[in-house]
Amino acid sequence: MIDTAETIYVPFGGLILAAGLLLPIIVIIIRRSLKAARDRKAGHHHRHEHDWSVPVLDACSNLDSVFHRWDPRLKIFSLLVYCFLVAALTQIIWAFCALIFSLAAVKLAKIPFRNTKRRLMAMVGFLGMFLVIMPLTVPTQPGDLLLFFQPVPVPFNVRGFLLAILIILKAFAIALIMEPLLNTAPLPVTIQALRHLRIPDMICQMILLSHRYIFVFLNEANRMYTGMRVRGFRQKTNLATLHTMGNFLGMLFVSSFERTQRVYDAMLSRGYNGTFPVYTNFSARPKDWLFGIFWILLGTGLLFLDRTGTFIIW
Amino acid sequence: MHISDGVLPISVTIGCFAATIALTAVGVRKTPAESLPKVAVVTSAFFVSSLIHVPLGPTSVHLLLPGLVGILLGPSAFISIVLGLTLQSLMFQFGGITALGANSIMMGIPALMIGWLFKQLKGSTLKGHAIAGALGGFLGTVLSVGFLAALLYTGGEDFLGVGKIAFIASLPVSIIEAIIAYFTVIFLFKVKPELLK
């Protein structure tokens, strides 16, 4: 099969590639050590060992934009359908268009760049793995373009590389849509809309409860961890660290269980009967329907072009 | 290690969603109303625990804990995993929203299996619990990554390399999970054994 694949030898390409890979790593190491030095100077060097910060899901819900005014039910439904349509794309050009539309949506929803950057950074590890591994591991098929970056003996398969790029484009396009989807209404309103969309009541309650508890336990875990640090605990790669972390987890579970029991009893005694009272009334205007139809048509259009279009890149 | 959007073929994505909905419905039926807050709590504790990084040589890894969730919740573990993953996806973008079904299958089914296995193996002694716990921690992670590799493979032979490497890379994590689960179960057995019933 390899006979039919096109092969190009890039002299010294290996060195260029190595430089391209090493440069970002070196930059990251330098930035980290600079930050560590700064933190040491400021006297709180344990801070960056753990990043306990959890983003608040609906921090931008008080702004005003097309997405904020949109009926949450239609917003959730049509944007989710759009996400699935984008996930089905198979050509880079249309995935790239989807990314542009997502960026436009984020801009339109007035979400700050900080939020979107956080989402994209969370995926870098997983997607980076694809970008590095796929060009080197995809099986060679007829018509593939193989690059030999001399003196590296392993062929760099361009098809694998483009496949990784396609995945990254789609992942980014969908991740960006999450911001206009979730960050443009308070979480209880979003949950309420989910309930209107036939998501079981119990699941909705539990998302709300768990979301609440996350911050409580984060506080608890942070407090416990500070106590451990004060008593001289330092993380190392050894059995003692794992022993301590095991106990730490156990304690976190025990204290959370006891806490819930108390909270649940308190809720029951205040008349909790399995549902929270709701005061949100939704009303869909024609405009809302149109905007929803627009997004679904946009996704369908992309998918249609993807399956029938002639812009096949490989 | 969560699957992000756009990786799996659309048929697999939707199939996993259907399976997740079915398993969640079963889980909801098997979970009595009064233990719902308990499930919510394990979910948040599981969420918080997965933010904890454990040092491993020059780098650090974060815990997945499907084994411990199974051990603590038994048949309700699947709902807890689905909820935890939903929140992780919504808040951190760990795992995409369209891949939520696949991620739930990948971690939830191992959690259910470990929950069952732990019940069979634990016996009544501390030693039995500890060994079953360690095995649960280890197998929970190995099975999850096994599912991950299998799901990736549904995308075609092109994804085999990524799946293999992810599986090999996760073996050290599985060992760490085993040790942590071992100590956590010992701790719970001594402090609050009713959690392990």
Side-chain angles (χ1 to χ4, degrees), chain A residues 35 47-57 118 214-215 218-219 221-222, chain B residues 47-48 50-53 91-92 94:
Chain A
K35 192 167 175 285
R47 266 289 156 198
H48 61 118
E49 207 175 278
H50 271 59
D51 184 13
W52 294 107
S53 63
V54 168
V56 180
L57 201 50
R118 204 194 61 227
I214 281 171
F215 294 92
L218 214 51
N219 233 328
N222 216 350
Chain B
F47 182 100
V48 170
S50 69
L51 296 177
I52 295 172
H53 283 247
M91 295 169 79
F92 291 119
F94 288 164

Side-chain angles (χ1 to χ4, degrees), chain B residues 6-25:
Chain B
V7 176
L8 299 176
I10 194 72
S11 52
V12 176
T13 307
I14 291 172
C16 284
F17 250 102
T20 298
I21 290 168
L23 282 169
T24 308

Side-chain angles (χ1 to χ4, degrees), chain B residues 54-111:
Chain B
V54 177
L56 180 69
T59 157
S60 69
V61 295
H62 80 95
L63 302 173
L64 292 169
L65 302 174
L68 267 181
V69 174
I71 288 170
L72 285 170
L73 289 181
S76 310
F78 195 83
I79 318 177
S80 174
I81 297 271
V82 173
L83 284 170
L85 289 172
T86 308
L87 285 165
Q88 283 186 341
S89 169
L90 299 187
M91 295 169 79
F92 291 119
Q93 203 59 40
F94 288 164
I97 191 81
T98 60
L100 186 59
N103 282 320
S104 304
I105 295 290
M106 164 185 130
M107 289 185 70
I109 292 184

Side-chain angles (χ1 to χ4, degrees), chain A residues 16-236:
Chain A
I16 299 168
L17 206 65
L21 274 176
L22 278 179
L23 203 67
I25 297 175
I26 291 171
V27 169
I28 289 170
I29 290 174
I30 290 175
R31 277 183 61 175
R32 278 217 181 148
S33 50
L34 278 180
K35 192 167 175 285
R38 239 195 347 262
D39 285 351
R40 252 198 306 282
K41 219 177 246 175
H44 43 76
H45 53 100
H46 69 275
R47 266 289 156 198
H48 61 118
E49 207 175 278
H50 271 59
D51 184 13
W52 294 107
S53 63
V54 168
V56 180
L57 201 50
D58 49 6
C60 304
S61 60
N62 53 348
L63 300 176
D64 184 42
S65 76
V66 189
F67 285 94
H68 290 80
R69 288 190 296 266
W70 197 2
D71 185 320
R73 292 169 301 174
L74 286 163
K75 177 174 73 184
I76 293 170
F77 179 77
S78 43
L79 287 185
L80 278 183
V81 171
Y82 176 75
C83 286
F84 276 95
L85 291 167
V86 169
L89 295 177
T90 55
Q91 290 182 38
I92 286 186
I93 177 88
W94 306 119
F96 183 73
C97 287
L99 181 61
I100 301 284
F101 293 141
S102 298
L103 284 170
V106 170
K107 186 86 194 140
L108 209 60
K110 299 186 185 153
I111 309 285
F113 178 63
R114 186 163 31 95
N115 293 43
T116 47
K117 189 178 130 198
R118 204 194 61 227
R119 280 193 183 275
L120 299 187
M121 291 308 285
M123 300 185 295
V124 164
F126 186 76
L127 296 174
M129 180 178 83
F130 279 85
L131 198 59
V132 173
I133 297 173
M134 292 211 62
L136 304 177
T137 59
V138 293
T140 309
Q141 287 176 3
D144 279 4
L145 177 61
L146 297 180
L147 300 179
F148 277 93
F149 292 105
Q150 288 171 340
V152 182
V154 189
F156 180 94
N157 193 324
V158 174
R159 188 174 59 87
F161 180 71
L162 291 176
L163 204 53
I165 294 283
L166 170 75
I167 288 172
I168 292 173
L169 286 173
K170 287 199 287 182
F172 277 14
I174 297 174
L176 285 177
I177 283 290
M178 289 298 110
E179 285 294 328
L181 178 64
L182 297 164
N183 212 341
T184 53
L187 186 65
V189 174
T190 304
I191 300 289
Q192 187 56 30
L194 282 180
R195 190 184 292 169
H196 277 269
L197 295 171
R198 310 284 154 139
I199 304 285
D201 213 26
M202 186 213 105
I203 299 284
C204 297
Q205 301 279 322
M206 301 243 291
I207 293 179
L208 269 183
L209 279 178
S210 313
H211 182 255
R212 219 17 88 75
Y213 278 128
I214 281 171
F215 294 92
V216 175
F217 296 154
L218 214 51
N219 233 328
E220 179 87 13
N222 216 350
R223 205 174 50 81
M224 276 163 62
Y225 194 71
T226 309
M228 282 155 68
R229 298 276 314 179
V230 169
R231 289 175 182 79
F233 172 70
R234 297 291 180 273
Q235 283 202 333
K236 293 191 191 84

